[in-house]
Amino acid sequence: MEVQTFEYDPKDVVETAQGNKIHKQCCAHGSQNIMLNGSSILLKDVVVRGDMAQVRMGKFCIVGERTVIRPSYKQFQKGATYFHSNVGDHVMIEEDCVIEAVQIGSYVHIGAGSIIGNGVIVKDCSIILPKSVIPPNQIIPPFTVFGGNPAKQIDDAPETTQLLMTQATSDYYQQYISETPELKKKYEDELQQQIEQLKQIQEELQ
Amino acid sequence: MGHVLRTDLVKYECSCGLYHALNELYVCRTCVLLKCTICAYQHVDGCFCRACFENVALTEARSHKNCCNSCYECPVCEMVLTARSINDKHRLLCNNCKFTSLDAGYEDNDSQTWSKQEIINEKFFDDLKTKLKELSLFEKNEIEKNDKRRRSNMVFVSDKYGLHSMLSRKKIEANAAPLSMDDKVIRDAEVNELSLEEIMKPVDPNTIPKYEQQLMCLENFNAQLYPNNLPLTSRRSLRCNVSDHGLVRSEYNPTAVNFRVKAFAYQYVPDIKMFRPTKLFLKVDWPLFLYISNSTAVPVKVKLQPVNNENDYTIVECHSEPVECTIPAPNVVADMNDLEPSARNNSSVANNTSHNSVVFKKRHRVAVHFQVKPKFVQRYNYLVIDLIYQFEGNPFPVSEQPQVNEQNTRIKLSLGPSKATITEEDLNISREGIRRTKLSY
């Protein structure tokens, strides 16, 4: 299935010079510590805690609504230290997730509502199913599908995951466009056409 | 698989007859056939530990019972245990269920070693295994020995240099049958009687480990749970079953995502994707839009022919004409330029209406449309199309391969449920609704 066009109100989203599209309702604490490598999307109500430690994300990263990205920490006798959080390229994080991982590799797909614990390392090309809970300090190997609570390996990810994720994230970025009045009119006309067609057919059937 | 692109909706027919999504298929370059994991031969390339990513050779793995030496898994929840130092001593701890090595009876120690539990009669079974191996080797040699060897005419050779006696002695030693094992098992004549009270004692179910937990440590006959060594994960490589050429072979490094050999069908066969989820109503011909894209470096001539099957009622009727078009190779530079904001407003779509069903063409992607009509009201409907494609050039990057002929694959598209009437819900379409539809199939 093709990725559907996702229009946003140009008043709500900021587009930076590097092509990052950040919604104005995101809470990006410590924004000087947050590094987006270009062409990334942060949707509505995303919370990125750059005030604890550096958060680095690669290019074509998509973070879904209401997700929290928080750097991980380790408790020592003298207190806790926060580690820098690294996210790779072409990563898609769906909505309502809580990410406390120390490293997320490239080409990873994290399903909606999943919780990734403190100090977890997710390697490249892995898939995490929706609503899965990964306990702290686990390592997710590459090309695996993890799911459940606590998350266990369910399946092997296909070898073409890198190609699929590259295509999916690039398509999503291309389809996340600002809503101009012409575009709005075009879609409204299309919808009207469809509704009229359906009504006609409904009359014919009856 | 609930992937973003929903590649499981379009299934291609493999050479073995099964239908798989295109990302799960491979193409053999010598026989130019589609292969899947079921018809191709699978081999184990090597093993690695999924926690410490240490590569272990297969023979070494076998001697360590396919487990990692340094990593442990929790017997309660199967998660990897972490070693934590508390007061300068080490302890194993599970972050999920808070199981510690203290619960298993191990004390905190300075070096991170946790001795394995003793297995009852382990030595006896090991001795038995080596003895049986010796016996099988001896039997094999006996069978292979050629009894009909040429008998020499020289019956007696003078033993002047002592060679004959030396050779005959060596011969006798080599052909000696292996000794039998000592029978250490003695049946005890006195057996204690079973007491009914012991059997009928009330048992607290919380003290008995679960079935899955018991399966993880079958060697321990007592019920207490000990941390087990983490089992190794194996790396798999695929070979074609017809020509024995490699299809997929991964790198030596377990964390690498590159492949030494990769023959994915995704990069060879034209990819077909549905544009939008369709609605299917009975007795109505509703349009279905498909995107065909070419991912090879040469242009491809494609013909899509819908297949109608009167007997199978899950297959929708499609009486559209077959679509024929030539799709050029992708132009990466132009695609990158398209991503820039300035180019987006100017992106023009060539409305090439040379054929009725082709809606538009843009570089390496073509959109076509078919009219489909379901036969019954049911949950699953499929559209079957024959894809006939021929490359105008060499689609494989290796230059020695010959010209590839016309290929034919059957494709099954899952279209979802069909309805009898158009309801109010169908008439209330909005952009938000289209964007947020979650497919039920």
Side-chain angles (χ1 to χ4, degrees):
Chain A
M1 189 79 65
E2 276 291 308
V3 178
Q4 303 300 306
T5 312
F6 194 145
E7 316 87 60
Y8 58 83
D9 198 347
K11 291 184 284 198
D12 284 337
V13 173
V14 169
E15 194 172 329
T16 67
Q18 282 190 319
N20 298 316
K21 294 175 181 168
I22 305 170
H23 203 280
K24 286 188 185 162
Q25 278 185 359
C26 282
C27 307
H29 302 277
S31 47
Q32 68 273 19
N33 276 341
I34 302 174
M35 278 166 224
L36 301 173
N37 221 355
S39 308
S40 296
I41 297 176
L42 294 184
L43 290 173
K44 199 171 164 192
D45 293 330
V46 166
V47 175
V48 184
R49 298 297 303 267
D51 51 338
M52 297 159 143
Q54 230 179 46
V55 174
R56 229 175 281 147
M57 298 186 84
K59 55 185 195 319
F60 291 100
C61 276
I62 294 154
V63 184
E65 283 134 356
R66 299 174 298 275
T67 299
V68 176
I69 299 183
R70 191 194 301 153
S72 64
Y73 64 90
K74 197 158 182 178
Q75 199 98 41
F76 291 111
Q77 286 161 347
K78 291 179 188 173
T81 45
Y82 287 94
F83 294 115
H84 297 319
S85 173
N86 284 331
V87 179
D89 300 330
H90 297 283
V91 170
M92 179 169 247
I93 302 176
E94 305 264 8
E95 63 261 5
D96 296 311
C97 294
V98 176
I99 313 273
E100 240 185 89
V102 73
Q103 188 200 345
I104 296 183
S106 307
Y107 318 106
V108 170
H109 180 225
I110 298 178
S114 49
I115 295 175
I116 300 190
N118 189 20
V120 164
I121 298 175
V122 181
K123 292 278 178 186
D124 304 337
C125 290
S126 53
I127 296 171
I128 294 170
L129 296 179
K131 297 224 174 93
S132 59
V133 174
I134 303 182
N137 297 322
Q138 296 297 313
I139 302 181
I140 311 284
F143 292 108
T144 49
V145 176
F146 265 69
N149 177 1
K152 293 195 186 133
Q153 183 168 357
I154 304 231
D155 200 3
D156 277 330
E159 286 95 354
T160 48
T161 304
Q162 181 175 356
L163 294 167
L164 290 173
M165 284 311 296
T166 317
Q167 200 177 51
T169 47
S170 318
D171 282 348
Y172 198 104
Y173 181 80
Q174 268 192 311
Q175 302 290 49
Y176 190 62
I177 47 181
S178 81
E179 195 182 38
T180 52
E182 300 107 38
L183 205 65
K184 198 170 177 178
K185 194 163 173 292
K186 183 178 144 197
Y187 286 136
E188 269 179 23
D189 286 340
E190 257 183 40
L191 276 178
Q192 282 301 318
Q193 254 189 350
Q194 268 197 355
I195 292 173
E196 272 166 37
Q197 266 185 331
L198 282 170
K199 279 191 177 153
Q200 253 186 348
I201 294 168
Q202 202 179 32
E203 279 165 30
E204 274 172 31
L205 287 176
Q206 275 168 0
Chain B
M1 215 179 72
H3 198 266
V4 184
L5 293 175
R6 288 305 304 268
T7 46
D8 55 325
L9 293 174
V10 179
K11 297 214 169 159
Y12 287 67
E13 191 181 12
C14 173
S15 54
C16 60
L18 296 170
Y19 284 89
H20 292 275
L22 192 62
N23 56 314
E24 292 164 17
L25 286 172
Y26 311 94
V27 63
C28 175
R29 291 179 191 188
T30 31
C31 33
V32 200
L33 284 174
L34 289 178
K35 294 280 162 205
C36 60
T37 50
I38 296 173
C39 56
Y41 291 147
Q42 301 192 37
H43 295 269
V44 172
D45 247 351
C47 307
F48 65 96
C49 171
R50 65 179 165 92
C52 59
F53 292 110
E54 189 199 329
N55 255 317
V56 180
L58 286 173
T59 43
E60 202 190 313
R62 219 173 285 150
S63 62
H64 288 291
K65 296 181 192 164
N66 294 329
C67 288
C68 180
N69 281 335
S70 43
C71 302
Y72 297 89
E73 68 171 358
C74 176
V76 178
C77 60
E78 282 181 68
M79 291 288 114
V80 176
L81 292 171
T82 46
R84 183 163 291 177
S85 68
I86 294 165
N87 300 332
D88 292 333
K89 290 209 183 246
H90 297 274
R91 186 189 298 179
L92 283 176
L93 171 70
C94 175
N95 291 104
N96 183 44
C97 62
K98 308 297 177 200
F99 169 88
T100 59
S101 48
L102 295 175
D103 296 330
Y106 293 106
E107 283 176 7
D108 292 351
N109 54 12
D110 289 324
S111 63
Q112 290 181 32
T113 48
W114 284 274
S115 55
K116 284 193 192 169
Q117 293 303 305
E118 245 188 60
I119 302 168
I120 302 168
N121 293 330
E122 186 183 6
K123 193 168 178 312
F124 170 70
F125 283 111
D126 276 341
D127 286 343
L128 188 66
K129 207 162 100 171
T130 43
K131 189 53 76 174
L132 282 172
K133 275 191 182 152
E134 264 183 49
L135 272 172
S136 74
L137 201 67
F138 173 69
E139 268 186 34
K140 192 171 111 174
N141 284 338
E142 282 228 324
I143 291 167
E144 279 176 6
K145 225 177 8 174
N146 196 354
D147 287 336
K148 295 182 186 168
R149 233 179 277 144
R150 268 184 300 139
R151 294 184 193 278
S152 65
N153 281 329
M154 297 191 279
V155 178
F156 177 73
V157 181
S158 79
D159 202 12
K160 194 170 170 188
Y161 299 104
L163 289 170
H164 186 76
S165 53
M166 207 160 55
L167 282 172
S168 57
R169 210 184 316 134
K170 278 201 179 162
K171 218 187 198 177
I172 291 165
E173 272 175 21
N175 292 343
L179 303 163
S180 67
M181 247 173 81
D182 306 336
D183 196 6
K184 289 184 186 147
V185 179
I186 305 163
R187 181 156 292 177
D188 207 353
E190 298 160 6
V191 177
N192 293 333
E193 266 202 40
L194 293 169
S195 67
L196 197 64
E197 292 153 2
E198 239 189 79
I199 299 171
M200 300 299 284
K201 229 183 343 183
V203 174
D204 182 14
N206 291 332
T207 55
I208 305 174
K210 284 196 299 192
Y211 189 56
E212 292 94 7
Q213 292 165 352
Q214 283 189 34
L215 279 178
M216 280 205 296
C217 42
L218 286 170
E219 297 156 342
N220 299 332
F221 292 99
N222 44 353
Q224 196 173 7
L225 294 171
Y226 291 99
N228 306 307
N229 283 70
L230 197 66
L232 296 171
T233 331
S234 53
R235 245 199 321 271
R236 173 195 79 174
S237 70
L238 286 171
R239 300 186 86 86
C240 175
N241 54 341
V242 174
S243 62
D244 212 28
H245 275 97
L247 296 173
V248 168
R249 199 158 154 234
S250 45
E251 290 277 350
Y252 182 70
N253 184 7
T255 53
V257 291
N258 307 322
F259 291 93
R260 273 190 218 164
V261 178
K262 52 176 179 176
F264 302 136
Y266 199 73
Q267 292 176 309
Y268 170 74
V269 182
D271 184 24
I272 293 189
K273 273 202 202 105
M274 293 205 281
F275 178 53
R276 219 175 258 181
T278 38
K279 299 180 214 292
L280 293 172
F281 303 107
L282 276 191
K283 302 174 205 170
V284 175
D285 261 331
W286 198 255
L288 169 73
F289 292 97
L290 300 175
Y291 266 114
I292 318 173
S293 49
N294 173 21
S295 24
T296 58
V298 293
V300 63
K301 197 169 129 191
V302 163
K303 183 173 173 189
L304 281 181
Q305 207 165 357
V307 171
N308 282 313
N309 189 345
E310 275 91 37
N311 302 330
D312 193 348
Y313 58 90
T314 52
I315 297 178
V316 301
E317 271 177 40
C318 178
H319 295 293
S320 311
E321 291 167 14
V323 179
E324 274 193 54
C325 50
T326 308
I327 311 175
N331 186 347
V332 183
V333 176
D335 278 340
M336 293 296 281
N337 287 337
D338 239 7
L339 287 174
E340 281 170 39
S342 53
R344 219 175 292 132
N345 300 327
N346 305 336
S347 62
S348 55
V349 171
N351 274 320
N352 199 339
T353 49
S354 57
H355 199 282
N356 290 336
S357 299
V358 175
V359 175
F360 82 90
K361 276 189 184 182
K362 186 180 179 186
R363 287 195 289 275
H364 67 285
R365 302 172 94 196
V366 169
V368 295
H369 112 274
F370 287 111
Q371 300 276 93
V372 292
K373 188 187 342 184
K375 291 179 183 157
F376 284 100
V377 176
Q378 57 204 339
R379 242 179 109 195
Y380 299 108
N381 287 292
Y382 299 99
L383 170 65
V384 178
I385 316 176
D386 259 337
L387 172 71
I388 301 161
Y389 55 101
Q390 183 167 15
F391 292 98
E392 290 166 13
N394 190 359
F396 299 121
V398 180
S399 54
E400 296 122 33
Q401 296 297 329
Q403 281 270 334
V404 186
N405 302 328
E406 204 175 70
Q407 305 295 313
N408 189 341
T409 333
R410 186 154 282 203
I411 301 171
K412 209 171 181 180
L413 290 120
S414 171
L415 298 177
S418 51
K419 286 193 227 172
T421 51
I422 300 173
T423 55
E424 281 304 311
E425 199 186 290
D426 293 318
L427 292 173
N428 288 341
I429 328 168
S430 64
R431 282 301 297 167
E432 194 69 32
I434 292 175
R435 202 191 305 154
R436 297 207 186 271
T437 41
K438 291 234 174 225
L439 298 175
S440 60
Y441 55 95

